[in-house]
Amino acid sequence: MKLSKLFILLFSSYGLLNSLNASAVEVKVAALSAPSHYLNAKQSTSDLIQWMEKAHNKGVKILSTPEAFLGGYPLWNYVEKTIDISSGEKHKADFINGAIDLNGEEVKSIRRAAKKYDVAVVLGANLRGEDGDRNTVFNAIIFIDENGKIVNVHRKTSGSHTERQYWSYGEASTIKNVLMQGIQVSAVQCWEARNPLTVSQLALNAPDVVFLPTGDYFNEEYNGLYTVEMRYIGRNVHSYVLSSSIMFNWDSLDKSDSQLSDEWKKVMPPKAPMAGLGGGAAVDPHGVILDVTKPFETRLVTTVVDTNVVKGSLALHSITDSYRLKGDYTLYVDGKKITGNGVKSIY
């Protein structure tokens, strides 16, 4: 009798373990390290759709782009010319005209491709405001799922430094998870990753993967420190983290703004094939760098998101676990307790 009970117990335990393993999800994801065409959203869209087909052929289910892949980064910011008021208005006008509409043909084409290739897209784009807000440009992330549906739009909460001359303030309420390919996905832009409130919100959301489109660098030889942010978020949010940075085709920059192109050629390494170092990286929930590119390297930076690894990271009980336990963490403002039994949201 005891032996049979033991057998039943072992059999049940085996079934339970199999059940737990069966609930685990593995999804191949990628960050795109590739140049786009400055202020030429139509051509950049065409390139992206080709990359979506390549991603599909490699088994990638979710693809993220660099920051402002459609439209372009305010490149005058990098060469410290944004404060030139006399010429700044022309630059801003060109920047506005190079932005896209949420219901425009570029987004429609990408939505169709997402459904065709079964590839969800986390798209960095310069997004124009609507109705009477047409001259406002947001640094946006557009979440397009594998069915071609727009499931979220996050407008970067605040530009950094002189970026604010080009990009308007966004909103924090859209820092949230969306379901893509069976896993929880979140994303913020560039220096948002350095905001402790943003990191706290990501920790509360408990995503499986966070995408961090950026204009910063990854490579140590160029003092690229963005992998520090990635590792920090990986460990504290208990998620995979993928990011890629801006690169722009020289021809498109020459055609769009020859003066800007000349300024960039002064600050780039000799014979640089593109404007911007580009690159990308992937980090696991323990903060381990899984992959990192070389400067100017064009490829898909890929990894497999394994939800069992995410759960394993949670088992380490780091300080951010208390954000999720909804009881061990209390927020005080001006000495007053404002969260009750734990915190549900920072923003």
Side-chain angles (χ1 to χ4, degrees), residues 10-258:
L10 289 173
F11 184 80
S12 299
S13 299
Y14 177 77
L16 177 61
L17 287 172
N18 276 343
S19 175
L20 288 173
N21 289 331
S23 66
V25 178
E26 295 184 4
V27 176
K28 191 173 185 180
V29 301
L32 173 60
S33 174
S36 60
H37 300 266
Y38 192 65
L39 303 186
N40 187 341
K42 182 178 181 180
Q43 184 60 54
S44 298
T45 297
S46 177
D47 287 1
L48 176 58
I49 291 173
Q50 292 181 42
W51 279 106
M52 291 170 69
E53 183 179 9
K54 292 177 183 178
H56 166 75
N57 292 337
K58 291 181 178 292
V60 171
K61 293 297 184 181
I62 305 175
L63 176 65
S64 74
T65 75
E67 184 176 23
F69 188 80
L70 298 190
Y73 185 88
L75 292 176
W76 289 102
N77 179 65
Y78 264 129
V79 290
E80 299 181 353
K81 299 289 184 179
T82 1
I83 56 175
D84 182 356
I85 303 300
S86 60
S87 59
E89 291 306 310
K90 179 186 182 302
H91 302 152
K92 280 192 264 188
D94 293 340
F95 199 72
I96 292 168
N97 292 330
I100 66 166
D101 294 307
L102 190 60
N103 61 350
E105 189 53 42
E106 295 87 359
V107 175
K108 289 178 180 177
S109 297
I110 295 167
R111 292 175 65 184
R112 288 192 293 267
K115 187 173 183 179
K116 177 180 178 180
Y117 295 120
D118 188 32
V119 175
V121 180
V122 179
L123 173 64
N126 287 341
L127 188 62
R128 292 189 75 164
E130 300 174 353
D131 301 324
D133 206 18
R134 296 287 293 147
N135 289 330
T136 298
V137 178
F138 298 96
N139 183 3
I141 302 174
I142 304 170
F143 297 75
I144 302 171
D145 73 8
E146 61 272 21
N147 299 310
K149 181 181 178 182
I150 297 175
V151 290
N152 187 30
V153 179
H154 172 57
R155 295 167 177 84
K156 186 177 179 181
T157 50
S158 173
S160 305
H161 309 300
T162 50
E163 288 178 355
R164 297 168 194 169
Q165 293 188 44
Y166 289 80
W167 283 320
S168 182
Y169 287 89
E171 54 189 312
S173 63
T174 49
I175 300 176
K176 62 182 181 180
N177 291 357
V178 295
L179 186 66
M180 288 178 160
Q181 302 285 18
I183 60 174
Q184 296 295 325
V185 178
S186 191
V188 294
Q189 299 265 44
C190 201
W191 274 31
E192 282 187 308
R194 300 183 178 187
N195 185 327
L197 293 179
T198 298
V199 179
S200 299
Q201 185 64 57
L202 289 172
L204 286 166
N205 294 345
D208 297 308
V209 59
V210 176
F211 293 101
L212 300 179
T214 186
D216 278 358
Y217 306 139
F218 304 93
N219 314 98
E220 290 184 7
E221 59 190 289
Y222 288 102
N223 296 318
L225 299 177
Y226 202 65
T227 47
V228 174
E229 276 75 17
M230 295 179 67
R231 296 181 70 191
Y232 173 77
I233 288 178
R235 286 192 298 263
N236 287 280
V237 178
H238 306 288
S239 67
Y240 287 84
V241 182
L242 282 86
S243 178
S244 55
S245 186
I246 59 170
M247 285 190 286
F248 295 103
N249 177 285
W250 278 123
D251 288 342
S252 67
L253 192 53
D254 288 337
K255 291 176 183 178
S256 172
D257 192 328
S258 59

Side-chain angles (χ1 to χ4, degrees), residues 24 207-208 234-235 237-240 284-287 306-318 321 324:
D208 297 308
R235 286 192 298 263
V237 178
H238 306 288
S239 67
Y240 287 84
D284 77 0
H286 301 291
D306 183 343
T307 55
N308 266 345
V309 176
V310 173
K311 293 173 184 175
S313 174
L314 282 166
L316 294 177
H317 302 296
S318 75
D321 289 350
R324 294 183 181 172

